[in-house]
């Protein structure tokens, strides 16, 4: 595997909230996306996911409470936890998600080098 230029991968995405699979680490998928100030509906996942803000700010509501994740900060959403993106989130986000989510996406047509359009769950 070669060096991945994460910021360039995010910039190359066709639109905000579409993600690109950068690679896999064990049973986890590592993805990048651009945030664009717009909210994303509440969701839950069977597995935990890590949200790492490279630049900008991620505004979340987690179990009804406001959470702000800034540049260089990471937030881990526990499995089966209700969370939504609030308006005002912008910048570059890296998501690390468990294989169960990654497999479902792969079955929907996303490959290791393909971009996956996932506005519902970043």
């Amino acid at each position: 595997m070669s060096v991945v230029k994460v910021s360039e991968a995010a910039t190359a995405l066709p639109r905000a909230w579409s993600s690109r699979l950068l690679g896999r680490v064990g049973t986890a998928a590592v993805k990048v996306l651009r945030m664009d100030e717009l909210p994303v509906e509440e969701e839950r996942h069977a597995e935990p996911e890590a949200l790492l803000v490279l630049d900008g700010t991620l505004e979340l509501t987690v179990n009804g409470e406001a959470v702000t994740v800034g540049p260089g900060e990471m937030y881990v959403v526990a499995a089966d936890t209700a969370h939504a993106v609030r308006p005002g989130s912008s910048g570059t986000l890296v998501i690390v998600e468990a294989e169960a989510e990654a497999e479902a996406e792969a079955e929907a047509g996303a490959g290791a080098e393909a971009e996956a359009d996932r506005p519902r769950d970043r």
Side-chain angles (χ1 to χ4, degrees), residues 5 15 53 85 97 115:
K5 295 182 180 181
R15 63 185 171 282
V53 176
V85 177
E97 62 186 7
E115 295 173 6

Side-chain angles (χ1 to χ4, degrees), residues 31-72:
K31 300 177 180 181
V32 66
L33 63 78
R34 284 182 295 109
M35 303 176 282
D36 72 346
E37 303 280 338
L38 296 176
V40 176
E41 293 181 20
E42 183 176 278
E43 61 189 5
R44 293 174 186 261
H45 308 283
E47 301 290 335
E49 68 179 349
L51 307 172
L52 171 64
V53 176
L54 295 184
D55 59 75
T57 304
L58 173 60
E59 300 289 347
L60 294 171
T61 300
V62 181
N63 282 333
E65 294 187 28
V67 174
T68 299
V69 187

Side-chain angles (χ1 to χ4, degrees):
M1 173 117 193
S2 60
V3 172
V4 176
K5 295 182 180 181
V6 178
S7 294
E8 287 181 17
T11 300
L13 290 168
R15 63 185 171 282
W17 299 115
S18 66
S19 64
R20 177 174 178 213
L21 180 63
L22 299 175
R24 296 191 182 276
V25 178
T27 61
V30 180
K31 300 177 180 181
V32 66
L33 63 78
R34 284 182 295 109
M35 303 176 282
D36 72 346
E37 303 280 338
L38 296 176
V40 176
E41 293 181 20
E42 183 176 278
E43 61 189 5
R44 293 174 186 261
H45 308 283
E47 301 290 335
E49 68 179 349
L51 307 172
L52 171 64
V53 176
L54 295 184
D55 59 75
T57 304
L58 173 60
E59 300 289 347
L60 294 171
T61 300
V62 181
N63 282 333
E65 294 187 28
V67 174
T68 299
V69 187
E73 296 180 333
M74 182 178 77
Y75 186 83
V76 177
V77 180
D80 199 36
T81 299
H83 60 288
V85 177
R86 297 191 325 261
S89 298
S90 65
T92 307
L93 180 66
V94 171
I95 301 172
V96 180
E97 62 186 7
E99 186 71 287
E101 293 265 338
E103 284 179 349
E105 183 176 353
E107 290 174 5
E113 294 300 319
E115 295 173 6
D117 187 12
R118 300 195 54 203
R120 67 165 178 65
D121 64 358
R122 300 162 314 287

